[in-house]
Coordinates of all heavy atoms in Angstrom, one line a residue:
Y1237 N -6.4 8.8 1.2 CA -6.2 9.4 2.5 C -4.9 10.3 2.3 O -4.9 11.4 2.8 CB -6.0 8.4 3.6 CG -7.2 7.7 4.0 CD1 -7.6 6.5 3.5 CD2 -8.1 8.3 5.0 CE1 -8.7 5.8 3.9 CE2 -9.2 7.6 5.4 CZ -9.5 6.4 4.9 OH -10.7 5.8 5.3
A1238 N -3.9 9.8 1.7 CA -2.6 10.5 1.5 C -2.8 11.8 0.7 O -2.4 12.8 1.1 CB -1.6 9.6 0.8
V1239 N -3.6 11.7 -0.4 CA -3.8 12.8 -1.2 C -4.7 13.9 -0.4 O -4.4 15.1 -0.5 CB -4.5 12.4 -2.5 CG1 -5.2 13.6 -3.2 CG2 -3.5 11.8 -3.4
E1240 N -5.6 13.4 0.3 CA -6.5 14.4 1.1 C -5.6 15.1 2.1 O -5.8 16.3 2.3 CB -7.6 13.6 1.8 CG -8.7 13.2 0.7 CD -9.8 12.4 1.3 OE1 -9.9 12.2 2.5 OE2 -10.6 12.0 0.5
E1241 N -4.7 14.4 2.7 CA -3.8 15.1 3.7 C -2.9 16.1 3.0 O -2.7 17.2 3.5 CB -2.9 14.0 4.4 CG -2.1 14.6 5.5 CD -1.1 13.5 6.1 OE1 -1.5 12.3 6.2 OE2 0.0 13.9 6.6
A1242 N -2.4 15.8 1.8 CA -1.6 16.7 1.0 C -2.4 17.9 0.6 O -2.0 19.1 0.7 CB -1.1 16.0 -0.2
L1243 N -3.7 17.7 0.2 CA -4.5 18.9 -0.2 C -4.8 19.8 1.0 O -4.8 21.0 0.9 CB -5.8 18.4 -0.8 CG -5.7 17.5 -2.1 CD1 -7.0 17.1 -2.6 CD2 -5.0 18.4 -3.2
S1244 N -5.0 19.2 2.1 CA -5.3 20.0 3.3 C -4.1 20.8 3.8 O -4.2 21.8 4.5 CB -5.8 19.1 4.5 OG -4.8 18.4 5.0
A1245 N -2.9 20.4 3.3 CA -1.7 21.2 3.6 C -1.5 22.2 2.5 O -0.4 22.9 2.5 CB -0.5 20.3 3.8
G1246 N -2.3 22.3 1.5 CA -2.3 23.3 0.5 C -1.5 22.9 -0.8 O -1.1 23.7 -1.6
A1247 N -1.2 21.6 -0.9 CA -0.4 21.1 -2.1 C -1.2 21.4 -3.4 O -2.4 21.3 -3.4 CB -0.1 19.6 -1.9
E1248 N -0.4 21.7 -4.4 CA -1.0 21.9 -5.7 C -0.5 21.0 -6.8 O -1.0 21.0 -7.9 CB -0.7 23.4 -6.1 CG -1.5 24.4 -5.4 CD -1.0 25.8 -5.4 OE1 0.0 26.1 -6.2 OE2 -1.5 26.6 -4.6
K1249 N 0.6 20.3 -6.5 CA 1.1 19.3 -7.4 C 1.4 18.0 -6.7 O 2.1 17.9 -5.7 CB 2.5 19.8 -8.0 CG 3.0 19.1 -9.2 CD 4.4 19.5 -9.6 CE 4.4 20.6 -10.5 NZ 5.8 20.8 -11.0
L1250 N 0.7 16.9 -7.2 CA 0.9 15.6 -6.7 C 1.7 14.7 -7.6 O 1.3 14.5 -8.8 CB -0.5 15.0 -6.5 CG -1.6 15.8 -5.8 CD1 -2.9 15.1 -5.7 CD2 -1.1 16.2 -4.4
V1251 N 2.8 14.3 -7.1 CA 3.8 13.5 -7.9 C 3.8 12.1 -7.5 O 4.3 11.8 -6.4 CB 5.2 14.1 -7.9 CG1 6.1 13.5 -8.8 CG2 5.2 15.6 -8.1
F1252 N 3.3 11.2 -8.3 CA 3.3 9.8 -8.0 C 4.4 9.1 -8.6 O 4.5 9.1 -9.9 CB 1.9 9.1 -8.4 CG 0.7 9.8 -7.8 CD1 0.1 10.9 -8.5 CD2 0.2 9.3 -6.7 CE1 -1.0 11.5 -7.9 CE2 -1.0 9.9 -6.1 CZ -1.5 11.0 -6.7
V1253 N 5.3 8.5 -7.8 CA 6.4 7.7 -8.4 C 6.0 6.3 -8.5 O 5.9 5.6 -7.4 CB 7.7 7.9 -7.6 CG1 8.9 7.2 -8.3 CG2 8.1 9.4 -7.5
T1254 N 5.7 5.8 -9.6 CA 5.0 4.5 -9.8 C 5.8 3.6 -10.7 O 6.8 4.0 -11.2 CB 3.6 4.8 -10.3 OG1 2.9 3.5 -10.4 CG2 3.5 5.5 -11.6
S1255 N 5.4 2.4 -10.7 CA 6.1 1.4 -11.6 C 5.2 1.1 -12.8 O 4.0 1.2 -12.8 CB 6.4 0.1 -10.8 OG 5.3 -0.7 -10.8
P1256 N 5.9 0.7 -13.9 CA 5.1 0.5 -15.2 C 3.9 -0.5 -15.0 O 2.9 -0.3 -15.7 CB 6.2 0.0 -16.2 CG 7.5 0.4 -15.6 CD 7.3 0.5 -14.1
S1257 N 4.1 -1.4 -14.0 CA 3.0 -2.4 -13.9 C 1.8 -1.9 -13.0 O 0.9 -2.7 -12.8 CB 3.6 -3.7 -13.4 OG 4.2 -3.4 -12.1
K1258 N 2.0 -0.7 -12.4 CA 0.9 -0.3 -11.5 C 0.0 0.8 -12.0 O 0.2 2.0 -11.7 CB 1.6 0.2 -10.2 CG 2.1 -1.0 -9.3 CD 3.0 -0.4 -8.2 CE 2.3 -0.7 -6.9 NZ 3.1 -0.1 -5.7
R1259 N -0.9 0.4 -12.8 CA -1.8 1.4 -13.5 C -2.9 1.8 -12.6 O -3.5 2.9 -12.9 CB -2.3 0.7 -14.8 CG -1.3 0.5 -15.9 CD -1.1 1.8 -16.7 NE -2.3 2.2 -17.4 CZ -2.8 3.4 -17.3 NH1 -2.3 4.3 -16.6 NH2 -4.0 3.7 -18.0
A1260 N -3.3 1.0 -11.6 CA -4.5 1.3 -10.8 C -4.5 2.7 -10.2 O -5.5 3.3 -10.1 CB -4.7 0.2 -9.8
I1261 N -3.3 3.1 -9.7 CA -3.3 4.4 -9.0 C -3.6 5.5 -9.9 O -4.3 6.4 -9.6 CB -1.9 4.5 -8.3 CG1 -1.8 3.5 -7.1 CG2 -1.7 5.9 -7.7 CD1 -0.5 3.4 -6.4
E1262 N -2.9 5.4 -11.1 CA -3.2 6.5 -12.1 C -4.7 6.5 -12.5 O -5.3 7.6 -12.5 CB -2.3 6.1 -13.3 CG -2.1 7.3 -14.2 CD -1.0 7.0 -15.2 OE1 -0.2 6.1 -15.0 OE2 -1.0 7.7 -16.2
Q1263 N -5.2 5.3 -12.6 CA -6.7 5.2 -13.0 C -7.6 5.8 -11.9 O -8.6 6.4 -12.2 CB -7.0 3.8 -13.3 CG -6.5 3.3 -14.7 CD -6.6 1.8 -14.9 OE1 -6.7 1.1 -13.9 NE2 -6.5 1.4 -16.1
H1264 N -7.2 5.6 -10.7 CA -8.0 6.1 -9.6 C -8.1 7.6 -9.6 O -9.2 8.2 -9.2 CB -7.4 5.7 -8.2 CG -8.2 6.0 -7.0 ND1 -9.4 5.4 -6.8 CD2 -8.1 7.0 -6.1 CE1 -10.0 5.9 -5.7 NE2 -9.2 6.9 -5.3
F1265 N -7.1 8.3 -10.1 CA -7.1 9.8 -10.1 C -7.5 10.3 -11.5 O -7.5 11.5 -11.7 CB -5.8 10.3 -9.7 CG -5.5 10.0 -8.2 CD1 -4.7 9.0 -7.8 CD2 -6.2 10.7 -7.2 CE1 -4.5 8.7 -6.5 CE2 -6.1 10.4 -5.9 CZ -5.2 9.4 -5.5
Q1266 N -7.9 9.4 -12.4 CA -8.4 9.9 -13.7 C -9.9 9.8 -13.8 O -10.5 9.0 -13.0 CB -7.8 9.0 -14.9 CG -6.3 9.3 -15.2 CD -5.7 8.3 -16.0 OE1 -6.2 7.2 -16.2 NE2 -4.5 8.6 -16.6
T1267 N -10.5 10.5 -14.8 CA -11.9 10.4 -15.0 C -12.3 9.0 -15.5 O -11.6 8.5 -16.4 CB -12.4 11.5 -16.0 OG1 -11.9 12.7 -15.5 CG2 -13.9 11.6 -16.1
N1268 N -13.3 8.4 -14.9 CA -13.8 7.1 -15.4 C -15.2 7.4 -16.1 O -16.2 7.5 -15.4 CB -14.0 6.2 -14.2 CG -14.4 4.8 -14.7 OD1 -15.1 4.6 -15.7 ND2 -14.1 3.8 -13.9
V1269 N -15.1 7.7 -17.4 CA -16.3 8.1 -18.1 C -17.5 7.1 -18.0 O -18.6 7.5 -17.7 CB -16.0 8.3 -19.6 CG1 -17.2 8.8 -20.4 CG2 -14.9 9.4 -19.7
E1270 N -17.1 5.8 -18.1 CA -18.2 4.8 -18.1 C -18.9 4.8 -16.7 O -20.1 4.8 -16.7 CB -17.5 3.4 -18.2 CG -18.2 2.5 -19.2 CD -17.3 1.3 -19.4 OE1 -16.3 1.4 -20.2 OE2 -17.5 0.2 -18.8
L1271 N -18.1 4.8 -15.6 CA -18.7 4.8 -14.3 C -19.5 6.1 -14.1 O -20.6 6.0 -13.6 CB -17.6 4.7 -13.3 CG -18.0 4.8 -11.8 CD1 -18.8 3.6 -11.4 CD2 -16.7 4.9 -10.9
E1272 N -19.0 7.2 -14.5 CA -19.7 8.5 -14.3 C -21.1 8.5 -15.0 O -22.1 8.9 -14.5 CB -18.9 9.7 -14.7 CG -17.8 9.9 -13.6 CD -16.9 11.1 -13.9 OE1 -17.4 12.0 -14.6 OE2 -15.8 11.2 -13.3
S1273 N -21.0 8.0 -16.3 CA -22.3 8.0 -17.0 C -23.3 7.0 -16.4 O -24.5 7.2 -16.3 CB -22.2 7.8 -18.5 OG -21.7 6.6 -18.8
A1274 N -22.8 5.9 -15.9 CA -23.7 4.9 -15.2 C -24.3 5.5 -14.0 O -25.5 5.4 -13.7 CB -22.9 3.6 -14.9
L1275 N -23.5 6.2 -13.2 CA -24.0 6.8 -11.9 C -25.0 7.9 -12.3 O -26.0 8.1 -11.6 CB -22.9 7.3 -11.1 CG -22.0 6.3 -10.5 CD1 -20.7 7.0 -9.8 CD2 -22.7 5.5 -9.4
S1276 N -24.7 8.6 -13.3 CA -25.5 9.7 -13.8 C -26.9 9.2 -14.3 O -28.0 9.7 -13.9 CB -24.8 10.5 -14.8 OG -25.6 11.4 -15.5
N1277 N -26.8 8.2 -15.1 CA -28.1 7.6 -15.6 C -29.0 7.0 -14.5 O -30.2 7.0 -14.6 CB -27.7 6.5 -16.6 CG -27.1 7.1 -17.9 OD1 -27.2 8.3 -18.1 ND2 -26.4 6.2 -18.7
S1278 N -28.3 6.4 -13.5 CA -29.2 5.8 -12.4 C -29.5 6.9 -11.4 O -30.1 6.6 -10.4 CB -28.4 4.7 -11.8 OG -27.3 5.1 -11.2
G1279 N -29.1 8.1 -11.6 CA -29.5 9.2 -10.7 C -28.8 9.2 -9.3 O -29.3 9.7 -8.3
N1280 N -27.7 8.5 -9.3 CA -26.9 8.3 -8.0 C -26.0 9.5 -7.9 O -24.8 9.4 -8.0 CB -26.2 7.0 -8.0 CG -25.7 6.7 -6.6 OD1 -25.6 7.6 -5.7 ND2 -25.3 5.4 -6.4
K1281 N -26.6 10.7 -7.5 CA -25.8 12.0 -7.5 C -24.7 11.9 -6.4 O -23.7 12.5 -6.6 CB -26.8 13.1 -7.2 CG -27.6 13.6 -8.4 CD -28.0 15.0 -8.1 CE -29.0 15.4 -9.2 NZ -30.4 15.6 -8.8
K1282 N -25.0 11.3 -5.3 CA -24.1 11.3 -4.2 C -22.8 10.6 -4.6 O -21.7 11.2 -4.4 CB -24.7 10.5 -3.0 CG -24.0 10.6 -1.7 CD -24.7 9.9 -0.5 CE -23.7 9.8 0.6 NZ -24.0 8.7 1.5
M1283 N -22.9 9.4 -5.2 CA -21.7 8.7 -5.6 C -21.0 9.4 -6.8 O -19.8 9.4 -6.9 CB -22.0 7.2 -6.0 CG -22.3 6.4 -4.8 SD -20.9 6.4 -3.6 CE -21.7 5.9 -2.1
L1284 N -21.8 10.0 -7.6 CA -21.3 10.7 -8.8 C -20.4 11.9 -8.3 O -19.2 12.0 -8.7 CB -22.4 11.2 -9.7 CG -21.9 12.0 -11.0 CD1 -21.1 11.0 -11.9 CD2 -23.1 12.5 -11.7
T1285 N -20.9 12.6 -7.4 CA -20.1 13.8 -6.8 C -18.8 13.2 -6.2 O -17.8 13.8 -6.3 CB -21.0 14.5 -5.7 OG1 -22.2 14.7 -6.3 CG2 -20.4 15.8 -5.3
L1286 N -19.0 12.1 -5.5 CA -17.8 11.5 -4.8 C -16.7 11.1 -5.8 O -15.5 11.5 -5.6 CB -18.3 10.2 -4.1 CG -17.4 9.7 -3.0 CD1 -17.9 10.3 -1.6 CD2 -17.6 8.2 -2.9
V1287 N -17.1 10.5 -6.9 CA -16.0 10.0 -7.8 C -15.5 11.2 -8.6 O -14.3 11.2 -9.1 CB -16.4 8.8 -8.7 CG1 -16.6 7.6 -7.9 CG2 -17.6 9.2 -9.6
Q1288 N -16.3 12.2 -8.8 CA -15.8 13.4 -9.6 C -14.9 14.3 -8.8 O -14.3 15.2 -9.4 CB -17.1 14.2 -10.1 CG -17.7 13.5 -11.3 CD -19.0 14.3 -11.7 OE1 -19.6 14.9 -11.0 NE2 -19.3 14.1 -13.0
N1289 N -14.9 14.2 -7.5 CA -14.2 15.2 -6.7 C -13.0 14.5 -5.9 O -12.7 15.0 -4.8 CB -15.1 15.9 -5.7 CG -16.1 16.8 -6.5 OD1 -15.6 17.7 -7.1 ND2 -17.3 16.4 -6.5
I1290 N -12.5 13.5 -6.4 CA -11.3 12.9 -5.8 C -10.2 13.8 -5.7 O -9.5 14.0 -4.6 CB -11.0 11.5 -6.4 CG1 -12.1 10.5 -6.1 CG2 -9.6 11.0 -6.0 CD1 -12.0 9.1 -6.7
V1291 N -9.9 14.6 -6.8 CA -8.9 15.6 -6.8 C -9.5 16.8 -7.4 O -10.0 16.7 -8.6 CB -7.6 15.1 -7.5 CG1 -6.6 16.3 -7.6 CG2 -7.0 14.0 -6.8
P1292 N -9.4 18.0 -6.8 CA -9.9 19.2 -7.5 C -9.2 19.5 -8.8 O -8.0 19.2 -9.0 CB -9.6 20.4 -6.5 CG -9.1 19.8 -5.3 CD -8.8 18.3 -5.5
S1293 N -9.9 20.0 -9.8 CA -9.3 20.2 -11.1 C -8.1 21.2 -11.1 O -7.3 21.1 -12.0 CB -10.4 20.6 -12.1 OG -11.0 21.8 -11.6
S1294 N -8.0 22.0 -10.1 CA -6.9 23.0 -10.1 C -5.6 22.3 -9.7 O -4.5 22.9 -9.8 CB -7.2 24.1 -9.1 OG -7.4 23.5 -7.8
V1295 N -5.7 21.0 -9.2 CA -4.5 20.3 -8.7 C -3.9 19.5 -9.8 O -4.6 18.8 -10.5 CB -4.9 19.5 -7.5 CG1 -3.7 18.6 -7.1 CG2 -5.3 20.4 -6.3
E1296 N -2.6 19.6 -10.0 CA -1.9 18.8 -11.1 C -1.5 17.5 -10.5 O -0.8 17.4 -9.5 CB -0.7 19.7 -11.5 CG 0.0 19.1 -12.7 CD 1.3 19.9 -13.0 OE1 1.6 20.9 -12.3 OE2 2.0 19.5 -14.0
C1297 N -1.8 16.4 -11.3 CA -1.3 15.1 -10.9 C -0.2 14.7 -11.9 O -0.5 14.7 -13.1 CB -2.4 14.0 -10.9 SG -3.6 14.2 -9.7
V1298 N 0.9 14.3 -11.5 CA 2.0 13.9 -12.4 C 2.4 12.5 -12.0 O 2.6 12.1 -10.9 CB 3.2 14.8 -12.3 CG1 4.3 14.5 -13.3 CG2 2.8 16.3 -12.4
F1299 N 2.6 11.6 -13.1 CA 3.0 10.2 -12.8 C 4.4 10.0 -13.4 O 4.6 10.3 -14.6 CB 2.0 9.3 -13.4 CG 0.7 9.4 -12.7 CD1 -0.3 10.3 -13.1 CD2 0.4 8.6 -11.6 CE1 -1.5 10.5 -12.4 CE2 -0.8 8.7 -11.0 CZ -1.7 9.6 -11.3

Side-chain angles (χ1 to χ4, degrees):
Y1237 286 95
V1239 162
E1240 286 175 6
E1241 188 183 327
L1243 297 177
S1244 73
E1248 285 160 13
K1249 192 191 268 187
L1250 311 177
V1251 186
F1252 301 88
V1253 182
T1254 182
S1255 80
S1257 59
K1258 286 172 111 181
R1259 290 274 301 127
I1261 293 177
E1262 199 165 341
Q1263 285 167 340
H1264 186 70
F1265 293 104
Q1266 284 168 344
T1267 308
N1268 182 336
V1269 179
E1270 222 172 285
L1271 175 66
E1272 286 185 18
S1273 65
L1275 290 171
S1276 166
N1277 292 342
S1278 63
N1280 194 342
K1281 280 204 190 109
K1282 192 176 163 204
M1283 286 301 157
L1284 182 62
T1285 313
L1286 198 90
V1287 296
Q1288 282 177 333
N1289 291 294
I1290 288 180
V1291 175
S1293 54
S1294 59
V1295 171
E1296 188 185 358
C1297 291
V1298 185
F1299 294 86

